[in-house]
Amino acid sequence: MSDRKIVIFDTTLRDGEQSPGASMNMQEKLEVAQMLTALGVDVIEAGFPVASPGDFESVQKIAQVVKGSSVCGLARCKDIDIETAWEAVKAAERPRIHVFIATSPIHREFKLHMTKEQVLQNTDHFVRKAAALCPDIEFSAEDASRTELDFLCEVVEVAIRAGAKTVNIPDTVGYALPSQFAHYIRTLKTKVPNIDQAVISVHCHNDLGLATANSLAAVEAGAGQVECTINGLGERAGNCALEEITMALNTRRDFFKAATDIVTRRLVPASQLVSGITGLEVPRNKAIVGRNAFAHESGIHQDGMLKNAMTYEIMRPEDVGFQKTDLVLGKHSGRAALNDKVNQLGFSLTPEQVNKLFEEFKALADRKKEIYDADIRALVQRVLFKEITNVSWTLESYSSTSGTGKKPVTSIKLRRGDFIVETQSETTTGDGPVDGIFLAICQLTGLDMKCKEYRVHSISVGHDAQGKVDVSISFNGQEYRGQGTSTDCIEASILAFLDAVNRIAE
Ligand code: KIV
Ligand code: ZN
């Protein structure tokens, strides 16, 4: 028997957009909707059309443009909501209206001022009205997880009889627990006589951090649709994250015997698109799409990963759209991970050189938490340079930016014999551009120097005159002088420092 299909209903543009700071303009919504279709989402809840003219327009535009996914509009049990939702979605290839009413005692009493009987009548009336307009109706019992189970069964039965093809069981306030929520789904499956005529859906909020766990428990109990959002956006603590539910079902297909149509390698780009548009950053340790989700730092983990990635990885980073596992090196990294990185960067070192490098690496790791490729490259080159004597340092190129209120940033590329070494601009900021270049040169040469004197003067006249820089540095208790000349004062400064550095080896 083949695995059953789980319908993925994305509500990033409706429930997600309701979260503070996540509002999007029409163009952005359209971009997200197109991304969702490419991602393989079955149903896109594009908005709540009656909420505002802007909401109506964007749902309508998405309905007109998007091909491949159903486009859904939300509606309360009100004539105006249902009519407006239909106007907005009717141009879609596959339109859906999502009708909801609250069913829990607290909502009935304080929000709706309705009896159970009135809730049942409203459900019947408005689902029928929507079904007369649109072939695909979803019904939601808002706050279902705090609704009496017998009453919930009655409401669901009425909604299906009135024409709902999907019945959604929201955990509106994120109150449910996995086993209790699964019990709700199992009870609906056994007690609602017409349940086989509809798909059971779940919509879980994350107030207790259980949205994905509750959704998975519901799937295990027989739910056929999961409502979710990219990056788990949504009211308060958000909704079940699309990337989490998808990868949990995908990775544990052996257990759930269920699959989605999500193109998983688009998950990271989708996450980045939504975070870029909303400005809501994805935490680094966020499951699946966080920057650290596939980064291994401990030496034991890195060693295991290099031997066989499956030792510490249950999913491949490329399957969710990351380029490759990011082995961030740090103070816990071992020799094997370091050597592997060195080889990846194109160097081949002797065992003695690796030993020397490892010592320097550990010293750097004590000062710097994360060590990137550029740092390793500089370390390797420094180890190799130490073996070269009587070869001068020369300047290959540089760039330097500074300005009022800005930290100067300098990048320098130096050559020594056959080796070229360069700084990353981010690592070399100082009190001014000259300070910046001096720090960069110390870093690149591996020499712990102090600048004792720095003088710049013009050696001719006019605005394009050459500048001459004289410096004096101290190293290991000795003083070394250097001079540099150029029409560019910064370049003259670099040449002066290198002149002094080259005297150290003499
Ligand atoms: O959380 C909720 O109950 C909702 C409904 C409108 C489905 O968002
Ligand atoms: Zn919700």
Side-chain angles (χ1 to χ4, degrees):
M1 211 174 75
S2 66
D3 292 345
R4 78 198 162 97
K5 151 104 191 238
I6 303 297
V7 175
I8 294 294
F9 176 111
D10 181 277
T11 183
T12 306
L13 294 171
R14 200 276 298 168
D15 212 322
E17 214 238 353
Q18 279 170 224
S19 60
S23 55
M24 304 175 216
N25 64 32
M26 178 145 103
Q27 191 47 43
E28 292 166 338
K29 286 184 185 174
L30 201 56
E31 214 179 311
V32 171
Q34 273 161 336
M35 170 278 290
L36 291 171
T37 309
L39 184 61
V41 160
D42 301 286
V43 186
I44 298 173
E45 186 163 53
F48 188 10
V50 84
S52 71
D55 268 52
F56 176 86
E57 248 183 88
S58 46
V59 177
Q60 191 177 49
K61 187 79 192 161
I62 290 169
Q64 287 161 352
V65 170
V66 161
K67 303 284 169 239
S69 310
S70 298
V71 177
C72 174
L74 184 67
R76 289 166 297 184
C77 282
K78 287 179 186 271
D79 288 323
I80 181 76
D81 282 40
I82 290 171
E83 286 154 18
T84 311
W86 175 239
E87 275 310 305
V89 298
K90 70 181 184 193
E93 233 174 31
R94 277 182 283 134
R96 176 182 287 197
I97 300 179
H98 178 186
V99 181
F100 77 101
I101 190 165
T103 53
S104 66
I106 194 159
H107 279 240
R108 289 193 316 257
E109 185 181 344
F110 295 101
K111 190 177 90 175
L112 299 176
H113 308 292
M114 281 188 194
T115 61
K116 283 184 177 173
E117 199 43 49
Q118 285 171 314
V119 170
L120 289 171
Q121 278 167 5
N122 270 270
T123 302
D124 182 64
H125 177 78
F126 287 103
V127 171
R128 268 180 211 284
K129 178 178 174 106
L133 295 170
C134 177
D136 183 6
I137 300 303
E138 169 168 336
F139 169 77
S140 276
E142 191 189 8
D143 206 14
S145 58
R146 292 194 297 169
T147 300
E148 307 90 328
L149 198 41
D150 284 351
F151 179 57
L152 185 64
C153 287
E154 271 186 76
V155 179
V156 166
E157 185 184 344
V158 165
I160 296 173
R161 205 181 317 121
K165 299 267 187 341
T166 302
V167 282
N168 184 37
I169 310 301
D171 180 25
T172 303
V173 290
Y175 175 75
L177 300 173
S179 56
Q180 175 222 352
F181 201 53
H183 172 66
Y184 264 52
I185 305 302
R186 275 193 208 99
T187 307
L188 289 168
K189 277 190 83 83
T190 50
K191 295 252 171 80
V192 176
N194 54 1
I195 198 73
D196 57 326
Q197 292 165 36
V199 173
I200 300 181
S201 166
V202 287
H203 173 113
C204 296
H205 278 270
N206 206 27
D207 299 67
L208 294 173
L210 292 172
T212 305
N214 286 332
S215 306
L216 288 170
V219 167
E220 197 191 338
Q225 173 176 292
V226 176
E227 303 200 354
C228 46
T229 57
I230 301 289
N231 297 336
L233 283 188
E235 281 278 0
R236 307 179 309 281
N239 289 64
C240 171
L242 183 148
E243 58 277 8
E244 291 176 11
I245 188 81
T246 305
M247 289 314 290
L249 291 174
N250 201 301
T251 308
R252 297 310 311 271
R253 195 162 167 169
D254 61 317
F255 179 80
F256 289 104
K257 305 270 184 281
T260 70
D261 284 343
I262 295 297
V263 183
T264 62
R265 60 173 200 288
R266 293 188 184 263
L267 287 170
V268 169
S271 158
Q272 289 170 351
L273 177 75
V274 169
S275 131
I277 286 178
T278 59
L280 295 175
E281 271 188 37
V282 177
R284 284 170 74 134
N285 63 338
K286 165 86 179 63
I288 320 296
V289 293
R291 214 176 112 190
N292 284 0
F294 292 88
H296 303 268
E297 204 207 309
S298 105
I300 295 171
H301 286 211
Q302 290 185 345
D303 187 47
M305 284 288 297
L306 294 169
K307 288 174 177 147
N308 183 336
M310 284 173 75
T311 51
Y312 288 101
E313 232 167 49
I314 58 167
M315 301 165 270
R316 294 187 316 165
E318 52 273 33
D319 291 344
V320 302
F322 279 117
Q323 290 309 308
K324 65 176 173 49
T325 300
D326 198 4
L327 274 181
V328 177
L329 299 183
K331 66 178 176 188
H332 303 297
S333 304
R335 206 176 296 254
L338 176 65
N339 198 28
D340 187 68
K341 178 61 85 185
V342 166
N343 292 336
Q344 265 179 37
L345 294 174
F347 298 103
S348 166
L349 302 189
T350 63
E352 296 76 48
Q353 286 170 328
V354 173
N355 286 342
K356 271 191 221 158
L357 183 73
F358 192 61
E359 273 170 39
E360 299 227 5
F361 165 76
K362 284 286 173 188
L364 182 64
D366 274 340
R367 286 181 272 127
K368 193 170 186 287
K369 191 169 167 355
E370 286 161 347
I371 299 183
Y372 293 97
D373 291 1
D375 299 309
I376 300 291
R377 212 174 276 122
L379 278 184
V380 173
Q381 289 165 335
R382 209 181 303 160
V383 166
L384 295 178
F385 289 148
K386 276 192 180 159
E387 296 175 0
I388 307 169
T389 50
N390 298 326
V391 178
S392 298
W393 292 93
T394 52
L395 174 65
E396 283 281 301
S397 61
Y398 88 95
S399 79
S400 173
T401 54
S402 62
T404 311
K406 283 189 192 154
K407 272 185 168 182
V409 179
T410 310
S411 305
I412 301 185
K413 195 188 265 190
L414 300 181
R415 173 185 284 277
R416 194 179 196 196
D418 287 340
F419 297 103
I420 291 184
V421 62
E422 61 189 299
T423 54
Q424 295 298 299
S425 54
E426 59 190 305
T427 59
T428 319
T429 57
D431 296 334
V434 173
D435 196 31
I437 57 171
F438 182 64
L439 290 175
I441 290 172
C442 291
Q443 191 187 337
L444 290 175
T445 56
L447 300 173
D448 188 9
M449 305 176 283
K450 294 232 164 359
C451 180
K452 304 299 266 181
E453 209 181 309
Y454 173 87
R455 275 182 294 125
V456 58
H457 47 98
S458 168
I459 55 172
S460 55
V461 286
H463 70 274
D464 56 353
Q466 285 221 75
K468 178 165 175 275
V469 174
D470 287 285
V471 297
S472 163
I473 58 169
S474 75
F475 175 72
N476 275 353
Q478 295 231 34
E479 205 149 310
Y480 300 89
R481 298 200 151 269
Q483 291 183 341
T485 311
S486 167
T487 47
D488 171 342
C489 286
I490 300 294
E491 188 174 87
S493 307
I494 298 173
L495 296 176
F497 284 124
L498 290 183
D499 188 32
V501 164
N502 287 328
R503 289 173 203 271
I504 293 175
E506 281 172 0

